[in-house]
Amino acid sequence: MLRAAVQAGTEVGKRAKAVMDAGELVSDAIVNAIVAERIDQPDCAKGFILDGYPRTLVQADAVEQMLSDRSQGLDAVIELVVDDKALVGRIVKRANEAQAAGQPVRKDDNPTVFEERLREYYKKTAPLIGYYYAKGTLRSVDGMADIDAVTGQIEAVLRDATRGI
């Protein structure tokens, strides 16, 4: 949504672009405005999936208010339960495979960078688990299963959520 807003040249997209061009992180206020702008589009009228948002408690409160203002709510919040050490191992493996194939290694395929992202996750995003658990919308999926199993679990959560289970 962020890239799309920037590319579309919307007012909030222009604000985001200025922040990104300065090498800074886009604020919760700007991200929230982009989400609000996007969920007002006609293709979201029957529902939508937010991937990677909200990431903070401030954003969670904002999306709750946005949806309340529209007489809507979240049907489910999906938590992918993973093993941190296994994820670091996957990154090392992916980087090694890319190097062995003579391909460039992604900038974020670095255990140190990933571990810093994990620390940020635990500081800012992990509190959302309790937040949504308390609201009764949290659903956990085994993110360490194979892709087909994870997909099946997510589809089941979405089916149940849209049926009101």
Side-chain angles (χ1 to χ4, degrees):
M1 280 188 267
L2 188 58
R3 282 188 225 99
V6 169
Q7 186 175 12
T10 66
E11 194 56 42
V12 72
K14 290 175 187 175
R15 289 186 2 229
K17 183 177 182 342
V19 171
M20 291 167 27
D21 287 349
E24 298 174 15
L25 294 176
V26 179
S27 70
D28 284 340
I30 292 174
V31 173
N32 293 336
I34 288 171
V35 171
E37 188 175 80
R38 179 64 183 96
I39 66 175
D40 281 338
Q41 298 302 308
D43 64 330
C44 293
K46 292 184 180 180
F48 48 87
I49 294 173
L50 299 171
D51 180 7
Y53 176 88
R55 288 184 189 246
T56 66
L57 290 170
V58 169
Q59 290 177 358
D61 286 337
V63 77
E64 292 287 332
Q65 187 61 54
M66 275 180 235
L67 294 175
S68 176
D69 291 347
R70 292 163 177 81
S71 299
Q72 297 175 318
L74 293 176
D75 294 316
V77 173
I78 299 173
E79 169 199 19
L80 295 176
V81 179
V82 297
D83 177 89
D84 295 349
K85 288 182 181 171
L87 293 182
V88 172
R90 286 180 183 179
I91 284 177
V92 170
K93 180 181 177 192
R94 187 168 62 196
N96 290 341
E97 287 172 350
Q99 277 184 321
Q103 298 172 344
V105 176
R106 288 175 30 175
K107 185 177 170 182
D108 58 345
D109 276 355
N110 175 310
T112 306
V113 170
F114 184 73
E115 288 168 359
E116 177 57 32
R117 289 178 68 191
L118 277 176
R119 280 190 287 280
E120 284 296 302
Y121 165 80
Y122 283 113
K123 278 193 267 183
K124 297 178 181 174
T125 305
L128 293 173
I129 296 168
Y131 179 92
Y132 287 114
Y133 177 83
K135 290 183 173 292
T137 54
L138 184 70
R139 305 292 180 271
S140 297
V141 168
D142 178 7
M144 298 306 293
D146 67 62
I147 292 172
D148 291 337
V150 172
T151 301
Q153 289 177 63
I154 291 171
E155 289 172 345
V157 167
L158 295 175
R159 268 192 312 273
D160 291 348
T162 57
R163 285 195 308 239
I165 296 175

